Amino acid sequence: MKFDILQKLKEILTKIKSKLRSYFVSFAAIVIFFAIFSFGVNFFSYFDPLTFCYIGIENDFLGGNQKTVKKAIVQLKRADIQSYKTLCTYVDTIVEEHCRASDPRVSGKEIGTYEPGCYIRGSKIINLIPTKEDDQFVINQRSITIRKYANFSKNFWENRQDHTPGINLRF
Amino acid sequence: MELSNFNIKRSIKILKYGSPSDYQDFCRLVDTIDANVDCGGWEGGCYRGGKTIAVSTAQGTVSWTVAIIVHETCHAKGFGETECYAAGDRILGTIVEI
């Protein structure tokens, strides 16, 4: 009788042990997958798994520097968490590209080309002027520019009025 | 031909939210976009007649692509180059916020 109880107890413990092992293996697999996924995504864009903040970065391979864009975002996160949250909500892409706010064939002048950045209304896209330089001044400048245009995007999406009848303007 | 139509699709979406009146004109007057480079090169477009325009902006910015779409839609309305360059310039001033 006593032997049976012990035998059953042993069976139950063995089952629990094997289940725990399978849970642990699954958990470890998920963690490894997530780590590889985060690393892969961060290679081409900015992804913060803790806040689920994803921002695509389209960099200028010849004249730009993706590293300083990422460093500027990290700096913004450390310095101003509210602006960082605004950035994560209202910006989905940062493009290293000159802004073009006019057609020089009409106005005779280029507007925005040498500005540090701009916001494209109707999107969640910010442009940053391309630069290969990698120093603290550039990172500060980019951080300030990103914060400014993230707020422009927030203002656009919070204040826009849907006045196109018959068209679904849900974003 | 452009490797991907992503730039054009994204530009249409920007037009939809950034300038709904231009988007309405575009939807009314254009039903086909030809993305071949034979007309616009790498940074331009053409009005093909009817409801077809050519847009080829693989080298252009997303805002420039919006300007090309508005420019060619303007031709579909029957206007000439002067008016349509002005339309492209206007949309750039509208959507690019500095």
Side-chain angles (χ1 to χ4, degrees):
Chain A
M1 183 70 178
K2 198 178 174 183
F3 179 77
D4 280 354
I5 292 169
L6 283 172
Q7 190 67 28
K8 282 209 165 184
L9 202 65
K10 193 181 173 187
E11 277 175 20
I12 291 167
L13 282 172
T14 311
K15 273 186 182 176
I16 290 172
K17 198 177 165 187
S18 77
K19 277 210 166 187
L20 278 176
R21 190 178 293 158
S22 73
Y23 284 140
F24 177 76
V25 168
S26 303
F27 179 73
I30 289 168
V31 168
I32 289 167
F33 172 78
F34 199 65
I36 292 169
F37 175 77
S38 297
F39 181 78
V41 169
N42 263 308
F43 199 71
F44 299 103
S45 50
Y46 173 85
F47 178 57
D48 180 358
L50 299 177
T51 54
F52 283 99
C53 178
Y54 173 82
I55 297 164
I57 299 172
E58 293 176 19
N59 70 311
D60 183 332
F61 286 103
L62 296 176
N65 188 345
Q66 195 190 56
K67 277 185 195 169
T68 51
V69 180
K70 287 183 187 173
K71 285 178 185 173
I73 296 171
V74 172
Q75 181 169 303
L76 183 65
K77 184 184 177 186
R78 287 181 186 148
D80 185 350
I81 193 71
Q82 198 53 48
S83 294
Y84 177 74
K85 283 179 185 169
T86 302
L87 174 73
C88 295
T89 309
Y90 292 99
V91 174
D92 60 15
T93 310
I94 295 176
V95 186
E96 272 193 306
E97 207 167 53
H98 288 274
C99 300
R100 297 174 84 163
S102 72
D103 184 344
R105 292 170 297 191
V106 178
S107 55
K109 57 185 176 183
E110 289 186 340
I111 300 172
T113 312
Y114 298 105
E115 292 291 333
C118 57
Y119 163 63
I120 311 298
R121 284 172 69 85
S123 75
K124 291 186 174 183
I125 300 170
I126 285 176
N127 279 15
L128 291 180
I129 191 167
T131 175
K132 283 194 95 63
E133 288 173 40
D134 186 353
D135 55 40
Q136 196 53 45
F137 176 77
V138 171
I139 294 164
N140 290 346
Q141 177 82 23
R142 290 196 149 182
S143 188
I144 291 165
T145 307
I146 288 168
R147 183 174 58 190
K148 176 182 173 183
Y149 294 112
N151 280 317
F152 276 35
S153 180
K154 181 186 178 192
N155 287 342
F156 175 80
W157 290 108
E158 283 187 349
N159 300 323
R160 94 197 146 92
Q161 292 173 338
D162 300 343
H163 49 79
T164 311
I167 295 173
N168 177 18
L169 286 175
R170 233 179 297 157
F171 191 68
Chain B
M1 192 168 173
E2 293 199 23
L3 292 174
S4 155
N5 290 328
F6 176 68
N7 202 25
I8 292 173
K9 287 180 182 172
R10 185 161 70 170
S11 301
I12 293 170
K13 205 171 171 184
I14 289 170
L15 192 62
K16 177 177 176 178
Y17 298 110
S19 182
S21 59
D22 285 305
Y23 178 71
Q24 278 187 319
D25 286 343
F26 166 74
C27 292
R28 187 167 50 85
L29 297 163
V30 176
D31 64 7
T32 306
I33 293 178
D34 176 358
N36 283 304
V37 294
D38 60 323
C39 167
W42 299 105
E43 206 181 40
C46 276
Y47 174 54
R48 299 270 197 215
K51 287 190 165 190
T52 302
I53 63 172
V55 176
S56 150
T57 55
Q59 299 293 312
T61 65
V62 70
S63 55
W64 190 254
T65 307
V66 176
I68 297 291
I69 290 170
V70 169
H71 176 96
E72 304 310 338
T73 303
C74 169
H75 284 312
K77 283 183 193 171
F79 292 111
E81 287 298 344
T82 308
E83 295 88 349
C84 295
Y85 277 135
D89 185 58
R90 172 184 55 76
I91 195 71
L92 284 172
T94 304
I95 63 167
V96 179
E97 230 179 323
I98 293 166

